[in-house]
Amino acid sequence: PQVVEACDVPEQIAIYHLETAGDTVAAQAALDTLLKKYPQSASAPMAQVLAGRVLVAGSRAASEIESAQARFARVPQLYPNSDAVPASVFYWGETLRLTHHPDEAIAKYRQVSTDYPLSVPWAARALLGEARCLVTVGQWTRAMELLQRVRQRFPDTPEAASALVWSSADSGPGTFRAAVMQANGNSSITVIRFSPVLAPITLTSM
């Protein structure tokens, strides 16, 4: 049977409250317990990441955002060899994206996908995050290329499924297909071709 460390319990409780229940107060309480009782545990690096996420989920005030980014920055400094490092940089990028700093967010996403190209799920999520930012700055074709890369590098993952949905499954308003079609200025069939190693994506009319 799988052994569950005592420090893993408050971490899982924090994740539940943050991601499922949407209760940031309870999530923070669980993290406080973890960091107080098990400050040197293997769960401590990810607890720092979760603490930053809780701050962003609870408020978009400038002070809270700064505190969250400080949490994310602390992880590579204190735990350079931890698996939590790519997660911390990814969520730093997410924070920048959510606060409308796409160029800075792209830099963080690229740091993850470049420095940790095999990190699952963080490299794939970073490529998805970068694609979202590229759409906001009008780089539609590059965004579609990244979605294709996710599908090729990380097949059979939730991130690959998201990339497929964003790129081809839905042509409604606000989707990648709609954005690309609008950028192309027509409603005819459009084939976007990338580098030779990437298959082209065919966009049908809307």
Side-chain angles (χ1 to χ4, degrees), residues 14-32:
I15 292 173
Y16 167 79
H17 285 301
L18 177 62
E19 298 183 353
T20 303
D23 188 340
T24 57
V25 174
Q28 186 60 58
L31 292 172
D32 290 342

Side-chain angles (χ1 to χ4, degrees), residues 16-173:
Y16 167 79
H17 285 301
L18 177 62
E19 298 183 353
T20 303
D23 188 340
T24 57
V25 174
Q28 186 60 58
L31 292 172
D32 290 342
T33 298
L34 191 160
L35 292 171
K36 182 178 180 179
K37 290 187 175 182
Y38 314 101
Q40 304 302 321
S41 71
S43 295
M46 190 58 76
Q48 294 286 352
V49 177
L50 288 168
R53 294 178 60 195
V54 167
L55 288 168
V56 176
S59 171
R60 298 291 168 82
S63 60
E64 298 293 281
I65 294 299
E66 290 177 4
S67 295
Q69 293 185 69
R71 289 273 190 174
F72 298 139
R74 194 175 300 145
V75 175
Q77 295 171 355
L78 298 179
Y79 315 99
N81 299 318
S82 170
D83 291 340
V85 172
S88 70
V89 181
F90 168 76
Y91 282 113
W92 193 345
E94 284 286 273
T95 301
L96 290 165
R97 179 181 64 81
L98 292 170
T99 53
H100 310 294
H101 296 88
D103 292 333
E104 293 91 336
I106 286 172
K108 293 301 178 186
Y109 291 136
R110 287 181 181 171
Q111 182 180 344
V112 176
S113 60
T114 300
D115 294 349
Y116 307 94
L118 301 180
S119 177
V120 179
W122 307 114
R125 291 183 182 180
L127 291 171
L128 292 178
E130 182 179 351
R132 295 177 71 172
C133 286
L134 288 171
V135 166
T136 67
V137 298
Q139 297 186 38
W140 320 101
T141 301
R142 175 61 178 162
M144 294 295 288
E145 180 179 350
L146 292 185
L147 296 181
Q148 181 79 341
R149 185 178 302 173
V150 171
R151 294 170 58 193
Q152 292 186 333
R153 288 187 181 179
F154 307 96
D156 303 318
T157 63
E159 290 74 28
S162 293
L164 176 62
V165 170
W166 290 0
S167 62
S168 62
D170 187 358
S171 59

